[in-house]
Amino acid sequence: LREVILATQKENRASPESKIKSSFKSIFYNAVNIAVQGFNIKGEVVYWNSFSEKLFGFTEKEVKGKTLKGFFTSESDRNEFKKYLRNAISQNKPSPKREWTITTKKGEVLHVLCHIFPAVLSALPGEESIAIAMNIDITDSKSAKEKTKEMLRQMERFSEISADILSIKDEEELFDHVSQAVVDISDFGRVLISYFTDTPPYREIIGHKGIKKTELERLKKAKMPREKY
């Protein structure tokens, strides 16, 4: 079993929504085999996770603030993609799962399965929704149905979690839900979500799954200087 610690650090005490959005953004960024991108109403890239860099060949710096005009092999696909983005943001409407043919930085043609849905990833107060596009590479998995099925399950869970995050207000319920979600969409058997502060005891455990009660109590009582955390 492995354990993942998702940490956010702020000078002032943040709201439950702000803390969970920061942690959720970390989950998105480290998603394995799923290219996660965020777009504004203009279709411009505002978020680009690590696997997007690997799949498309472009870094976040190269694409941020730009549209994906050159990625699609047809104009009709590009227009339909933009329509799904607008629907997600203006109508809070997720898109159907759709296969797209895209071109990478190296000129490779790939087939990806895409799902678009609304989300809020920023911890800034009053931040507007963006459209999240999640892509999995199915170029080599046409015959690998099991892999595609698992990726679809992960995409569904991401979509469900995003919707819940926008609606759940109880802090304990919120973090319990996200901890379980991390287990569901990854191969982690144990999850510990910590929130760090500038004042003693410097760390607050705000979410967990798969941690024995005795071990959890030991972790809660553990004391270390601020520099260690």
Side-chain angles (χ1 to χ4, degrees), residues 30-161:
N30 294 292
V32 179
N33 296 325
I34 302 180
V36 184
Q37 298 117 26
F39 299 87
N40 60 22
I41 193 67
K42 297 178 182 179
E44 298 168 337
V45 175
V46 296
Y47 181 75
W48 192 259
N49 82 333
S50 58
F51 194 74
S52 292
E53 296 184 10
K54 182 178 180 180
L55 183 63
F56 288 82
F58 291 89
T59 65
E60 184 177 38
K61 185 178 180 180
E62 289 176 300
V63 298
K64 202 163 188 179
K66 301 177 182 178
T67 66
L68 297 188
K69 181 178 180 179
F71 287 84
F72 293 95
T73 56
S74 74
E75 187 69 16
S76 60
D77 280 357
R78 185 173 73 89
N79 291 333
E80 190 167 2
F81 182 80
K82 288 172 65 177
K83 181 186 74 174
Y84 288 147
L85 295 181
R86 289 194 298 269
N87 288 344
I89 296 174
S90 60
Q91 300 179 30
N92 204 36
K93 180 181 178 182
S95 75
K97 296 174 186 66
R98 167 71 191 273
E99 182 178 332
W100 304 102
T101 303
I102 58 102
T103 305
T104 69
K105 185 177 183 178
K106 293 181 179 179
E108 298 173 307
V109 176
L110 300 178
H111 298 279
V112 298
L113 191 63
C114 180
H115 180 46
I116 299 171
F117 56 91
V120 177
L121 294 185
S122 173
L124 297 174
E127 186 73 10
E128 295 182 357
S129 294
I130 61 174
I132 290 291
M134 305 188 70
N135 302 275
I136 59 173
D137 183 7
I138 59 172
T139 306
D140 297 324
S141 63
K142 293 281 188 178
S143 59
K145 294 182 179 179
E146 286 303 314
K147 176 184 176 182
T148 303
K149 183 178 179 181
E150 176 60 20
M151 292 297 101
L152 284 172
R153 185 187 70 81
Q154 290 188 352
M155 290 170 69
E156 289 283 2
R157 287 296 291 138
F158 268 123
S159 182
E160 292 168 4
I161 298 163

Side-chain angles (χ1 to χ4, degrees), residues 2-7 23 179 182-183 188-195 203-211 215-216 219-220:
R2 289 184 289 170
E3 178 178 347
V4 60
I5 299 179
L6 304 175
S23 294
S179 298
V182 174
V183 172
F188 294 127
R190 299 190 301 162
V191 175
L192 187 69
I193 304 178
S194 295
Y195 176 70
R203 181 182 74 171
E204 177 186 353
I205 296 175
I206 56 179
H208 60 87
K209 273 298 174 192
I211 309 293
E215 186 175 1
L216 184 64
L219 290 170
K220 287 181 177 179

Side-chain angles (χ1 to χ4, degrees), residues 154-206:
Q154 290 188 352
M155 290 170 69
E156 289 283 2
R157 287 296 291 138
F158 268 123
S159 182
E160 292 168 4
I161 298 163
S162 179
D164 289 341
I165 284 173
L166 298 178
S167 60
I168 297 175
K169 299 301 180 183
D170 179 75
E171 182 170 358
E172 184 175 349
E173 181 185 357
L174 197 61
F175 292 122
D176 181 73
H177 184 83
V178 170
S179 298
Q180 182 61 56
V182 174
V183 172
D184 291 344
I185 62 180
S186 71
D187 60 349
F188 294 127
R190 299 190 301 162
V191 175
L192 187 69
I193 304 178
S194 295
Y195 176 70
F196 296 98
T197 64
D198 285 328
T199 56
Y202 305 116
R203 181 182 74 171
E204 177 186 353
I205 296 175
I206 56 179

